[in-house]
Amino acid sequence: MDHDFGDGDEEGGVAIRALYRVTDRNLDTPVRPDATTAHHDAYTYWHTIANLTAAFRDLYITCYAEPEPST
């Protein structure tokens, strides 16, 4: 999450900052599952974290993917 995606809209900066805020809230210690968390709630939490990780991957690929060489 520490990668510098830029500040401007052209590099996805606005989307990255919004996604970063959502992810930061979800990774905050008070909302993490613990031993008293119901299994379904823990699953939902980790599923959300996995989706946020995939969203970061997709935005990174969209912003910084190398164009495919033409043959």
Side-chain angles (χ1 to χ4, degrees), residues 40-52:
H40 180 268
D41 294 337
Y43 171 82
T44 301
Y45 173 83
W46 289 112
H47 187 263
T48 300
I49 295 300
N51 285 331
L52 290 167

Side-chain angles (χ1 to χ4, degrees), residues 18-30:
L19 184 58
Y20 185 90
R21 283 191 299 274
V22 169
T23 303
D24 194 45
R25 278 193 304 263
N26 277 280
L27 291 174
D28 196 19
T29 303

Side-chain angles (χ1 to χ4, degrees), residues 16 19 23 49-62:
I16 290 294
L19 184 58
T23 303
I49 295 300
N51 285 331
L52 290 167
T53 301
F56 269 108
R57 178 205 59 215
D58 294 345
L59 278 170
Y60 180 86
I61 289 170
T62 299

